[in-house]
């Protein structure tokens, strides 16, 4: 067991606010990988996830305790990450360009995510929580939204800006908007960044976030 729910955010979410989205076998928990491929296991029983997953499916782990090799899976990525939580909030942005995104926007959202690689993202991302975006001449050029929801915490995710619109502060604007939307619910915003991305970490720190913990990210694919 961990000391803080965000040490293993997927487990905290799938046994808490997102329990209705959980798939399980024995001690293993995961989201439907067609939604997002995050999972959580008991290190003593990794075989439970092996039984749950089908060939070709991904399992992503983002937690303080690194996950060792999984039987029946091939490791495809391992990287260091940081988890940041909101300590203070900047003034709420008031920008009429920010609009809610919904199912009709899903294809544009996926295209933007595929072009910018903000992390695991699927057409079903809106099932996890709200997203907001900015369009220019009808084209979606930036977005941000929510993902995992642990007791008392909601994750900011999917923050991305089209390369043609970078340098305009859109990621900062939308991140601040989502942080305020989370705070209004009474939850604390949190988010993740790769340790090798100091620009993103600096951006979030400028918005009042502080590093809470160092995490290990690992992605496995079922063979």
């Amino acid at each position: 067991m961990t000391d803080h729910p965000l040490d293993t955010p997927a487990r905290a979410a799938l046994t808490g606010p997102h329990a209705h989205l959980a798939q399980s076998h024995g001690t293993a928990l995961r989201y439907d990988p067609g939604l997002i491929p995050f999972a959580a296991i008991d290190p003593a029983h990794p075989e439970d996830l092996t039984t749950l997953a089908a060939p070709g499916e991904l399992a992503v782990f983002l937690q303080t305790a690194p996950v060792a090799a999984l039987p029946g899976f091939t490791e495809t990525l391992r990287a260091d990450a940081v988890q940041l939580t909101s300590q203070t909030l900047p003034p709420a942005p008031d920008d009429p360009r920010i609009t809610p995104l919904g199912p009709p926007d899903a294809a544009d959202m996926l295209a933007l995510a595929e072009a910018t690689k903000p992390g695991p993202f699927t057409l079903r991302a809106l099932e996890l929580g709200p997203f907001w975006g900015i369009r220019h001449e009808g084209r979606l050029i930036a977005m941000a939204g929510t993902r995992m929801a642990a007791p008392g915490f909601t994750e900011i995710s999917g923050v991305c800006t089209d390369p043609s619109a970078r340098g305009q502060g859109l990621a900062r604007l939308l991140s601040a908007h989502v942080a305020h939307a989370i705070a209004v619910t009474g939850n604390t915003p949190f988010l993740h960044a790769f340790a090798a991305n100091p620009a993103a970490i600096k951006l979030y720190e400028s918005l009042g976030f502080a590093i809470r913990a160092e995490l290990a990210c690992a992605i496995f694919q079922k063979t």
Side-chain angles (χ1 to χ4, degrees), residues 110-132:
L110 181 62
L112 180 59
E114 289 180 340
T116 56
K117 308 299 183 186
F121 193 91
T122 72
L123 279 170
R124 297 172 56 194
L126 287 163
E127 294 178 32
L128 295 168
F131 267 75
W132 293 265

Side-chain angles (χ1 to χ4, degrees), residues 90-116:
D94 182 15
D95 192 314
R97 296 176 299 170
I98 301 174
T99 58
L101 299 175
D105 303 297
D108 288 346
M109 293 168 66
L110 181 62
L112 180 59
E114 289 180 340
T116 56

Side-chain angles (χ1 to χ4, degrees), residues 104-199:
D105 303 297
D108 288 346
M109 293 168 66
L110 181 62
L112 180 59
E114 289 180 340
T116 56
K117 308 299 183 186
F121 193 91
T122 72
L123 279 170
R124 297 172 56 194
L126 287 163
E127 294 178 32
L128 295 168
F131 267 75
W132 293 265
I134 293 176
R135 290 184 178 273
H136 177 67
E137 296 181 347
R139 187 168 63 93
L140 185 66
I141 59 170
M143 68 176 182
T146 62
R147 189 168 61 186
M148 289 188 280
F153 299 89
T154 303
E155 182 188 18
I156 298 175
S157 185
V159 181
C160 51
T161 303
D162 186 271
S164 67
R166 288 176 182 164
Q168 301 178 31
L170 300 183
R172 177 185 180 84
L173 179 69
L174 286 167
S175 295
H177 182 86
V178 178
H180 276 275
I182 292 169
V184 166
T185 71
N187 279 4
T188 297
F190 76 102
L191 48 81
H192 299 101
F194 284 114
N197 190 353

Side-chain angles (χ1 to χ4, degrees), residues 8-116:
T8 311
R11 181 172 296 281
L14 291 169
T15 57
H18 283 173
H20 63 290
L21 298 173
Q23 296 181 351
S24 64
H25 178 80
T27 61
L29 287 166
R30 71 171 185 176
Y31 287 92
D32 180 340
L35 179 56
I36 50 170
F38 285 100
I41 60 168
D42 179 343
H45 298 285
E47 70 279 1
D48 288 343
L49 185 63
T50 305
T51 302
L52 182 61
E57 291 182 338
L58 296 179
V60 179
F61 297 90
L62 188 60
Q63 54 194 61
T64 55
V67 173
L70 289 175
F73 285 81
T74 299
E75 183 180 309
T76 63
L77 180 144
R78 189 172 290 270
D80 295 328
V82 294
Q83 182 183 83
L84 301 95
T85 54
S86 176
Q87 306 298 306
T88 61
L89 286 174
D94 182 15
D95 192 314
R97 296 176 299 170
I98 301 174
T99 58
L101 299 175
D105 303 297
D108 288 346
M109 293 168 66
L110 181 62
L112 180 59
E114 289 180 340
T116 56

